[in-house]
Amino acid sequence: TQLKSSLKHSRRKRPISPHGNKDVPIHVAVCACILSKLPHEMIWRCWMGETDDGLKTGTNIKASMLIHAKTPSAVANESWTKSHLIPVTHNPDWNDIRIVQAMLSLATYALKSDATHVMFVTESCIPISTLEALGEEIRKQGIEKSFVNPYGENSSRCTRFDEHACFNVPNLPNSSIQKNLPGWCLLSRKHMQAILDMPTN
């Protein structure tokens, strides 16, 4: 009883985000880079509530899927994956700059919809929380906040590959370079649009 009372008290005292209103709609555009298959397709479809086993959130949050395939011709015709492909491919190799181009193309198509957030995933990623929990966290932190977990050259996460391929850019100090894995970031529409609007020259 004392614990329940304490929890109720802490809930009342918790600061409320100005963006924490449950009526604020959230649309997460899940943007996946794949070779030719999405191995965990059914997990994603269930997570988005597109199957009979899918969880219906009822909290004004939805998700959609956009997919960039390295070889779209190898994607099975009439498949769910095929129906979610964007009509462009950059044919990237592993750790290739064309992966960045693929991500930017995915984001461009995502922002043509009413998406409020863009979540980048790889073909091996799976969701580990519910869509409803994601929506609650976004509202708690603020609708315009983005979520990334970058690291620099002095991080224990920095590998020898990073040292040579990522943190060794001519005429750019290493201290200004941060790396973020492409399958571990969620950007607000505001920040994603700002990236797309950056000059390319």
Side-chain angles (χ1 to χ4, degrees):
T1 303
Q2 185 177 4
L3 177 60
K4 289 181 179 178
S5 176
S6 176
L7 287 174
K8 288 180 180 178
H9 179 73
S10 67
R11 288 193 189 103
R12 288 196 300 268
K13 295 296 184 181
R14 180 184 298 168
I16 299 175
S17 164
H19 304 286
N21 191 328
K22 287 188 176 182
D23 293 331
V24 176
I26 294 175
H27 174 190
V28 178
V30 182
C31 295
C33 289
I34 69 171
L35 295 177
S36 60
K37 293 181 180 179
L38 185 63
H40 306 300
E41 174 188 307
M42 287 306 298
I43 294 177
W44 283 110
R45 293 177 65 180
C46 180
W47 184 78
M48 293 188 290
E50 292 191 6
T51 67
D52 292 338
D53 296 327
L55 299 176
K56 307 301 181 183
T57 66
T59 56
N60 210 9
I61 178 171
K62 65 179 180 179
S64 58
M65 176 74 75
L66 292 169
I67 302 171
H68 173 281
K70 176 179 180 177
T71 51
S73 60
V75 179
N77 290 327
E78 310 301 325
S79 66
W80 184 89
T81 297
K82 189 84 168 184
S83 68
H84 288 75
L85 291 182
I86 62 172
V88 62
T89 180
H90 296 280
N91 194 32
D93 291 325
W94 182 82
N95 215 62
D96 187 357
I97 186 62
R98 288 173 291 182
I99 294 177
V100 176
Q101 294 171 340
M103 294 171 69
L104 293 176
S105 290
L106 282 166
T108 298
Y109 280 94
L111 295 193
K112 290 181 179 181
S113 70
D114 63 349
T116 59
H117 295 80
V118 174
M119 181 167 69
F120 291 107
V121 302
T122 68
E123 63 181 25
S124 60
C125 290
I126 59 172
I128 59 173
S129 70
T130 64
L131 178 58
E132 182 177 17
L134 174 61
E136 289 176 354
E137 186 64 24
I138 290 173
R139 290 192 178 101
K140 183 174 73 173
Q141 297 294 335
I143 196 75
E144 291 188 346
K145 184 172 182 179
S146 293
F147 302 83
V148 296
N149 187 20
Y151 61 90
E153 63 170 338
N154 295 320
S155 170
S156 59
R157 297 162 61 193
C158 182
T159 66
R160 292 305 298 270
F161 174 84
D162 290 337
E163 291 177 2
H164 295 287
C166 301
F167 296 97
N168 186 22
V169 181
N171 304 317
L172 191 64
N174 286 0
S175 59
S176 67
I177 302 174
Q178 294 283 305
K179 179 176 180 178
N180 194 91
L181 298 178
W184 296 92
C185 56
L186 183 147
L187 300 177
S188 68
R189 184 183 189 94
K190 175 183 177 180
H191 292 152
M192 191 70 255
Q193 187 63 62
I195 292 172
L196 293 176
D197 290 342
M198 291 177 66
T200 57
N201 295 328

Coordinates of all heavy atoms in Angstrom, one line a residue, residues 116 144 188-195:
T116 N 5.7 12.0 -38.5 CA 6.2 12.9 -37.6 C 7.6 12.5 -37.2 O 8.4 13.4 -36.7 CB 5.4 13.0 -36.3 OG1 5.3 11.6 -35.7 CG2 3.9 13.5 -36.6
E144 N 9.4 17.1 -30.8 CA 10.4 17.5 -31.8 C 11.8 17.0 -31.4 O 12.8 17.3 -32.1 CB 10.4 19.0 -31.9 CG 9.2 19.6 -32.5 CD 9.3 21.1 -32.8 OE1 10.2 21.7 -32.2 OE2 8.4 21.6 -33.6
S188 N 13.2 13.3 -35.5 CA 11.9 14.0 -35.6 C 11.8 14.6 -37.1 O 12.8 14.7 -37.8 CB 11.8 15.2 -34.6 OG 12.8 16.2 -34.9
R189 N 10.6 14.9 -37.5 CA 10.4 15.5 -38.8 C 11.2 16.7 -39.0 O 11.8 17.0 -40.0 CB 8.9 15.7 -39.0 CG 8.6 16.2 -40.4 CD 7.1 16.5 -40.6 NE 6.8 16.8 -42.0 CZ 6.4 15.9 -42.9 NH1 6.2 14.7 -42.5 NH2 6.2 16.2 -44.2
K190 N 11.2 17.6 -37.9 CA 11.9 18.9 -38.0 C 13.4 18.6 -38.3 O 14.0 19.3 -39.2 CB 11.8 19.6 -36.7 CG 12.6 20.9 -36.6 CD 12.4 21.5 -35.2 CE 13.2 22.8 -35.1 NZ 13.0 23.4 -33.7
H191 N 14.1 17.7 -37.6 CA 15.5 17.5 -37.7 C 15.8 16.8 -39.0 O 16.8 17.0 -39.7 CB 16.0 16.7 -36.5 CG 16.0 17.5 -35.3 ND1 15.9 16.9 -34.0 CD2 16.1 18.8 -35.0 CE1 15.9 17.8 -33.1 NE2 16.0 19.0 -33.7
M192 N 14.9 15.8 -39.4 CA 15.1 15.1 -40.7 C 15.0 16.1 -41.9 O 15.8 16.0 -42.8 CB 14.1 14.0 -40.8 CG 14.4 13.0 -42.0 SD 15.8 12.0 -41.7 CE 17.0 12.7 -42.8
Q193 N 14.1 17.0 -41.8 CA 13.9 17.9 -42.9 C 15.1 18.9 -43.0 O 15.6 19.2 -44.0 CB 12.6 18.8 -42.7 CG 12.3 19.7 -43.9 CD 12.0 18.9 -45.1 OE1 11.1 18.2 -45.2 NE2 12.9 19.1 -46.2
A194 N 15.7 19.2 -41.8 CA 16.9 20.1 -41.8 C 18.0 19.4 -42.4 O 18.8 20.0 -43.1 CB 17.2 20.5 -40.3
I195 N 18.2 18.1 -42.2 CA 19.2 17.3 -42.8 C 19.0 17.3 -44.4 O 20.0 17.5 -45.1 CB 19.3 15.9 -42.3 CG1 19.7 15.9 -40.8 CG2 20.2 15.0 -43.1 CD1 19.7 14.6 -40.1

